[in-house]
Amino acid sequence: MKIDKINSLNNPNFKAIRVARTSNIVGNLTTQIDLYKIYKGDRPFLQKLAESVDYKKLAPYLIREMQLRWQKILNYCITRSFNESNSSYVSVSKDKVCGIMTYSKDNNIINLDCICAIPLSKTERVKLFKKTMFYQLFKDASDMDARGIHLDAVTDGPFELVSKYEELGFKEDKKPSKYISMFCNKHKIAEQLRELPFDIEYNETGEVKHTNLLKYLG
């Protein structure tokens, strides 16, 4: 999927702000993930991200069909992040981008458009990336007093997702098809905000400084 080049009409100074630093515990291993909220000025970064990530190199353990599927998911996520009505986040670990998430809001329901992990290398994926991003999503939903969160789980992606979303409080709300529609209500959101901190130490930064995320693309 080709993403059109972005011209210089956008304010280049209004870039990402680091909203949180997290320490995530997996057994005896602790991983650090920083979360950045992205803005209009990050469009050149998004363009570069689409051009620089190659799942054929980052995920050689997958068959080519699944590598292409993962690439398509990332490109969709980036494309949706260009939408100014969306809220989007990029995660960084070990000074490298390790994922992106974007969502919209309609009728007081958050619609998770996409969440996509990016391996740091062909031998290293960031542990608890998805739970960390979902913690941010649940926090935003709670702050907005949203009625719930909706998502469409892909059934033909490189990994099985439905059971993972069920662990995070989502339930299937439509018959299965290419995508499985799932919903997490306010009660489950509050429940996850109580449970996830057992794995994730989330610290808001309160920062207002803008960051050029291009430096994390290597």
Side-chain angles (χ1 to χ4, degrees), residues 134 138 149-153 161-175 180-185 187-189 191-192:
F134 267 94
F138 291 138
I149 302 170
H150 168 266
L151 63 81
D152 287 321
L161 295 175
V162 174
S163 63
K164 300 295 184 183
Y165 292 142
E166 288 175 339
E167 291 174 3
L168 289 166
F170 287 84
K171 291 185 177 181
E172 187 178 335
D173 63 0
K174 288 184 180 179
K175 292 182 179 180
I180 295 180
S181 179
M182 305 185 77
F183 188 76
C184 185
N185 60 34
H187 172 73
K188 287 296 184 178
I189 289 170
E191 186 177 280
Q192 289 299 314

Side-chain angles (χ1 to χ4, degrees), residues 125-169:
R125 293 172 59 197
V126 177
K127 303 294 185 182
L128 289 184
F129 153 77
K130 187 159 288 185
K131 282 190 175 182
T132 300
M133 296 297 264
F134 267 94
Y135 184 87
Q136 183 66 55
L137 181 66
F138 291 138
K139 184 180 181 303
D140 286 0
S142 178
D143 291 345
M144 295 176 189
D145 195 29
R147 292 196 294 117
I149 302 170
H150 168 266
L151 63 81
D152 287 321
V154 299
T155 58
D156 59 347
F159 307 104
E160 197 283 321
L161 295 175
V162 174
S163 63
K164 300 295 184 183
Y165 292 142
E166 288 175 339
E167 291 174 3
L168 289 166

